[in-house]
Amino acid sequence: MLRSLVGSEMCIRDRYQRRVRGRRSACCVRQRAPAMPPVLFEDIFEITEDPTKDKKFDRVSRLVCRSENYEMEMTLDMNTDIYPLHLQDRFTMVLVSSVSLDEVLEDDGYDQSGRPTLLDKYEYAMYGKLFNNAQDDSGNLALFASFGGLLMKLKGDPSSLDKLKLDTRIYLLMRKVK
């Protein structure tokens, strides 16, 4: 008879053996595959305005983009000296709460153990916080995030943004679409 426990599955006999003998029966424990962190938002964006126009800082550009799947509008400040993007470039943008591939919840520090993370699958990343939201007359919701002073505004249908909550720490991950 098997009984599911939070976080793992093991049989009742194994729980008894650990208590009585202090050891574990390998035949009774089922290994679970690593879980992916919850994706809060994901879409493919295309840059619609030239990021070099009206540039106020040498290394930072403001990207104005439109998404393909959810018809979202995004304005994003990013370091284009590190990760250059140009007019009509397309990229995948993902917002996640954790970059860890296992079920361990992250603390406030970066894991330097060298284990694989979600960062390995993307080319550019920023860590920040959702700090404001606003709804316009047409019913669209705009969310605002700050990534150490680099700002993002993501605007569109509220049902597409329902997983994003105020005062949440998030990772923004990007990679170019070929």
Side-chain angles (χ1 to χ4, degrees):
M1 172 190 248
L2 292 177
R3 180 177 174 202
S4 293
L5 300 174
V6 175
S8 66
E9 295 179 7
M10 75 175 69
C11 73
I12 294 173
R13 183 181 66 203
D14 185 55
R15 290 180 62 204
Y16 173 76
Q17 286 178 348
R18 268 197 302 162
R19 267 189 269 140
V20 173
R21 298 183 197 146
R23 64 183 173 147
R24 204 174 219 185
S25 171
C27 69
C28 297
V29 178
R30 291 194 178 119
Q31 296 286 331
R32 287 175 42 149
M36 292 295 288
V39 174
L40 303 173
F41 180 81
E42 180 176 14
D43 206 344
I44 296 172
F45 285 85
E46 182 176 348
I47 300 174
T48 57
E49 291 184 20
D50 188 8
T52 59
K53 184 182 87 176
D54 298 330
K55 194 171 176 179
K56 303 220 186 289
F57 300 101
D58 290 336
R59 297 180 179 158
V60 176
S61 292
R62 180 159 285 175
L63 305 178
V64 178
C65 313
R66 184 105 177 129
S67 76
E68 292 181 2
N69 299 327
Y70 296 113
E71 296 297 320
M72 303 294 265
E73 296 173 10
M74 180 174 69
T75 305
L76 176 67
D77 296 339
M78 65 174 286
N79 188 331
T80 51
D81 191 38
I82 295 173
Y83 192 68
L85 289 170
H86 308 285
L87 182 63
Q88 296 182 340
D89 279 354
R90 294 175 59 228
F91 60 90
T92 299
M93 191 273 292
V94 178
L95 297 175
V96 292
S97 58
S98 169
V99 293
S100 176
L101 294 177
D102 56 11
E103 294 181 20
V104 178
L105 292 176
E106 291 184 6
D107 57 355
D108 290 334
Y110 174 69
D111 179 19
Q112 298 181 16
S113 66
R115 292 184 309 195
T117 65
L118 201 54
L119 294 172
D120 299 329
K121 299 178 182 181
Y122 291 88
E123 301 165 341
Y124 184 81
M126 294 193 290
Y127 180 69
K129 183 177 182 179
L130 290 169
F131 70 89
N132 196 5
N133 65 5
Q135 197 154 10
D136 63 12
D137 295 335
S138 63
N140 286 329
L141 180 66
L143 289 173
F144 299 89
S146 176
F147 302 96
L150 299 176
L151 302 177
M152 176 189 74
K153 175 183 167 187
L154 186 61
K155 181 179 175 182
D157 183 29
S159 64
S160 303
L161 302 170
D162 61 347
K163 293 180 185 176
L164 297 164
K165 306 294 182 209
L166 280 182
D167 296 326
T168 304
R169 299 276 180 190
I170 58 170
Y171 289 89
L172 180 143
L173 307 173
M174 293 172 56
R175 73 173 164 244
K176 291 180 184 174
V177 175
K178 307 285 188 223

